[in-house]
Amino acid sequence: MIGQDVAWGRVARKYDELFVDPYADEAGNPVLQFLSKLPGKNKLTVGDLGCGTGQLILPLAAHVVGAVGIDPEPAMLAEAADQAQASQITNVTWV
């Protein structure tokens, strides 16, 4: 039996192709809708524990001053960081 770290590491690059994204614009994300109405959001830092490839933290980062993506699998963090760079999102720290 392989460990979780190995399993997630193997799928990191293809995860977004396999993942049905509930945070896509057309999904009408209630978290983003709430955040868009939140006063003082320009002072907030948000976090995502188990961020994977960044499906939640990257859209959130656009609405706050800072964000922290946390994941135990380095390959998932690397993919998230690549996506952030491609989207020119610079306010996320990866842990």
Side-chain angles (χ1 to χ4, degrees), residues 21 23 29 31-32 35 44-64 66-71 76-77 79-81 83-84 89-95:
D21 188 359
Y23 307 112
N29 184 332
V31 174
L32 294 177
L35 192 57
L44 292 178
T45 297
V46 298
D48 183 3
L49 181 60
C51 68
T53 58
Q55 300 87 359
L56 175 60
I57 199 68
L58 294 176
L60 288 177
H63 299 277
V64 295
V68 180
I70 304 166
D71 201 281
M76 289 292 205
L77 290 172
E79 183 64 23
Q83 290 187 35
I89 297 172
T90 60
N91 63 333
V92 181
T93 300
W94 305 104
V95 182

